[in-house]
Amino acid sequence: IPKVKKQDENMAVLQLMAVALKNWEVGAWDLAVPMFKNVEKIVLPDKSPLMVYRDLAKKYLEDYDRLKSLTPLPASADAKQVGLHQSTLKKTMNDLKTKGRSGFHVQVWQTRAQRHLKELERLEKEAQQKAREEKNKSPSYQEQMVQFRRLMMESKFSEAQQLLAKVTPPKGELAQREAWQYLASSAASFIRDLEKQLAKSAVEIEVLSVNGDRYQVIVSANLDGLKLNDDAREVFQPWSNIEPDSVLNVYRNMFELNLETLDGQRLTEHAICYAWLMGLSDKAELAASDLSEVNSNFEKRWPAIMDAVGEKPLKKK
């Protein structure tokens, strides 16, 4: 915007405000905001009637700061998150200094939040209805295996092992159930050992998520996952969101996998089961071969387990 001559001052303010307001109302805020800022900068006599436009421009800029701070409601938001989002929108609406597009923008978000909440309520009712229908229905072994695999894919190994312990498999599939329980129980021990070791203090080691995010520090750990730091912020990632290779690398750094000791053999066996379940079958088989050379019980057990499950790992690399 060029400098305005004194005699053109009035016209400049009016023109800038007119164009800025038009852009604002059609949603072109990237064009409107610089114009509002220019109106605010124009020097006017103290008693000029055009001062009202400078004040108005300031209000639009304040509303812009309020509106740009709003963040979209995540598609995965639960009822609590929707409630907090609605509270934020309500406060923003009450704080707005201008009318028209500003309020309309917030109203659109409020409508979306209400629809999201209704959808959650619908899904909750459906879930409750389904739960009532299934309450007295005894799940079959095959149905439990579907749930078992889901838990395993989510790295919830302890829950998966406990699930299978409660069902009776058909005749001829007992060995298969026991094999899956062994794998799940060993992987659960793998996670528990990591959780206990990492609970002692923060560890500087690179961790890679399945989405490709890299973190440089493990702040803490629990049975559900890791609290990580990427130098900018701390985030919590469940075990299923972390690359299995990265988890194994942390494990190798935390423990001495010495096959000459019983403790080293035990830790290695747990890591083998975790790796196989996570789809790292080549690494699992290589480590299983090494462990079999020093542990005769494992040498007999591992082929029997593989034969019993009779299928590929749950995940592929």
Side-chain angles (χ1 to χ4, degrees), residues 133-141 143-144 166-167:
E133 294 174 354
E134 296 290 331
K135 185 176 181 180
N136 298 320
K137 180 181 177 182
S138 178
S140 67
Y141 177 68
E143 289 172 331
Q144 291 293 66
K166 297 176 182 178
V167 297

Side-chain angles (χ1 to χ4, degrees), residues 204 214-219 228-235:
E204 292 188 12
R214 294 182 183 275
Y215 304 92
Q216 304 305 318
V217 177
I218 299 176
V219 180
L228 303 165
N229 192 308
D230 63 358
D231 293 332
R233 60 195 177 97
E234 286 187 1
V235 299

Side-chain angles (χ1 to χ4, degrees), residues 6 81 84 112 258 260 268 278:
K6 186 69 176 178
Q81 289 173 298
L84 292 173
R112 291 176 181 172
N258 184 355
E260 294 181 0
T268 300
M278 292 295 98

Side-chain angles (χ1 to χ4, degrees), residues 121-267:
E121 291 172 351
R122 183 186 68 80
L123 292 174
E124 178 63 22
K125 288 180 180 178
E126 288 184 357
Q128 291 176 354
Q129 177 63 26
K130 185 176 180 180
R132 285 192 292 268
E133 294 174 354
E134 296 290 331
K135 185 176 181 180
N136 298 320
K137 180 181 177 182
S138 178
S140 67
Y141 177 68
Q142 288 72 24
E143 289 172 331
Q144 291 293 66
M145 281 302 297
V146 172
Q147 174 72 353
F148 170 82
R149 285 182 170 83
R150 184 186 67 78
L151 290 170
M152 296 279 268
M153 297 281 280
E154 295 175 357
S155 296
K156 296 179 179 179
F157 306 112
S158 182
E159 291 181 38
Q161 189 272 332
Q162 292 171 18
L163 178 72
L164 277 197
K166 297 176 182 178
V167 297
T168 302
K171 186 177 181 180
E173 295 189 30
L174 180 59
Q176 183 192 70
R177 187 193 70 167
E178 291 179 346
W180 280 120
Q181 283 188 287
Y182 157 78
L183 290 167
S185 177
S186 297
S189 295
F190 172 90
I191 294 296
R192 278 196 298 272
D193 288 339
L194 263 181
E195 181 267 334
K196 290 178 182 178
Q197 191 71 9
L198 293 170
K200 298 177 180 178
S201 62
V203 178
E204 292 188 12
I205 186 171
E206 184 175 81
V207 175
L208 180 65
S209 77
V210 294
N211 296 323
D213 298 324
R214 294 182 183 275
Y215 304 92
Q216 304 305 318
V217 177
I218 299 176
V219 180
S220 62
N222 59 41
L223 295 179
D224 295 320
L226 299 176
K227 182 182 285 187
L228 303 165
N229 192 308
D230 63 358
D231 293 332
R233 60 195 177 97
E234 286 187 1
V235 299
F236 180 82
Q237 292 283 14
W239 293 109
S240 57
N241 279 10
I242 302 172
E243 277 288 350
D245 260 324
S246 191
V247 176
L248 286 170
N249 183 52
V250 173
Y251 193 80
R252 284 191 292 268
N253 278 272
M254 292 295 100
F255 300 104
E256 183 179 356
L257 304 181
N258 184 355
L259 296 184
E260 294 181 0
T261 67
L262 290 177
D263 192 50
Q265 292 176 22
R266 176 185 64 82
L267 292 169

